[in-house]
Amino acid sequence: MIELTKLPYGMEALEPHISKTTLEFHYGKHHAGYVNNLNKLIAGTPFEGKSLEEIIMNANGGIFNNAAQVWNHTFYWNCMTPNPVKDKPKGKLMEAIIRDFGSFDEFKTKFIDKCVTLFGSGWTWLVADKDGKLSIVQTGNAQNPLTEGLKPLLVCDVWEHAYYLDYQNLRANYVNEFWAIINWESIEKSY
């Protein structure tokens, strides 16, 4: 059985950037709904008892969509922290960002642009390939970079349910606020 992973902080912890109300709906309804749907869909199938990663890499249709959304959301929650220790990464990750994007500011500009310009619902990811080269990718709906052999490092959820209660149609405002709560320490460790 797939479990709903506990949030790494309280429902109100990301305020004022992301409200308690948004987390109650986003985590408590959307994310929990994907978990419940997935468990119903995999009951009695070869996917029952498999990890999310195994399901994502081998399923399609509704099973893939719900499994990927559970994984994507869990990853997203862990990319944020209510008390960021730093406003940008250091060490090897920063070196890779400068190597692959020219500067941190250029990376940030490109990432925000990819978030804002993604048409419809989806995700914007900072990923590393097998050689450690970084890139920014957009995925629609439930798509996930794992299926392309890429290692996710950072993700911003740009489905409307991630921001609409707080920012209505102003996705750019949400994305700019997201930058204030990125957990760079965790992302550095992942890289």
Side-chain angles (χ1 to χ4, degrees):
M1 175 173 259
I2 302 297
E3 300 286 331
L4 177 64
T5 304
K6 189 175 185 312
L7 279 177
Y9 34 75
M11 288 283 191
E12 70 293 329
L14 300 178
E15 290 183 339
H17 312 288
I18 298 175
S19 71
K20 176 181 179 182
T21 302
T22 289
L23 279 182
E24 287 171 343
F25 280 93
H26 194 175
Y27 172 79
K29 304 286 185 204
H30 288 279
H31 190 176
Y34 294 126
V35 171
N36 292 335
N37 289 341
L38 179 60
N39 283 319
K40 289 175 191 169
L41 289 168
I42 63 174
T45 74
F47 293 111
E48 190 172 22
K50 302 288 186 193
S51 70
L52 281 173
E53 291 82 2
E54 289 174 299
I55 297 169
I56 289 167
M57 297 304 286
N58 296 293
N60 54 44
I63 292 176
F64 170 83
N65 289 335
N66 283 277
Q69 285 293 77
V70 171
W71 195 97
N72 294 354
H73 279 90
T74 301
F75 192 82
Y76 169 69
W77 306 130
N78 286 291
C79 285
M80 298 179 287
T81 180
N83 301 304
V85 176
K86 49 182 95 170
D87 61 356
K88 58 180 76 167
K90 296 193 180 345
K92 291 183 183 200
L93 179 57
M94 181 58 102
E95 291 169 14
I97 287 171
I98 292 168
R99 177 194 70 216
D100 297 331
F101 299 102
S103 70
F104 181 78
D105 289 340
E106 186 64 22
F107 157 68
K108 182 177 177 181
T109 298
K110 287 179 179 177
F111 191 93
I112 290 171
D113 182 64
K114 291 281 190 182
C115 289
V116 173
T117 61
L118 182 91
F119 183 77
S121 298
W123 306 84
T124 298
W125 307 82
L126 171 65
V127 296
D129 68 14
K130 61 182 175 51
D131 298 319
K133 181 170 179 5
L134 301 178
S135 61
I136 300 166
V137 297
Q138 297 171 316
T139 60
N141 298 319
Q143 291 303 311
N144 179 297
L146 294 173
T147 62
E148 304 297 322
L150 298 170
K151 179 179 183 176
L153 300 172
L154 170 67
V155 70
C156 185
D157 184 346
V158 291
W159 282 68
E160 285 184 339
H161 65 247
Y163 61 88
Y164 211 83
L165 292 175
D166 296 331
Y167 300 98
Q168 287 77 51
N169 64 330
L170 303 175
R171 185 188 285 182
N173 291 3
Y174 154 70
V175 174
N176 283 311
E177 290 297 316
F178 170 77
W179 277 87
I181 50 177
I182 293 175
N183 188 349
W184 287 113
E185 285 193 314
S186 174
I187 296 161
E188 287 170 355
K189 290 175 189 165
S190 293
Y191 182 69

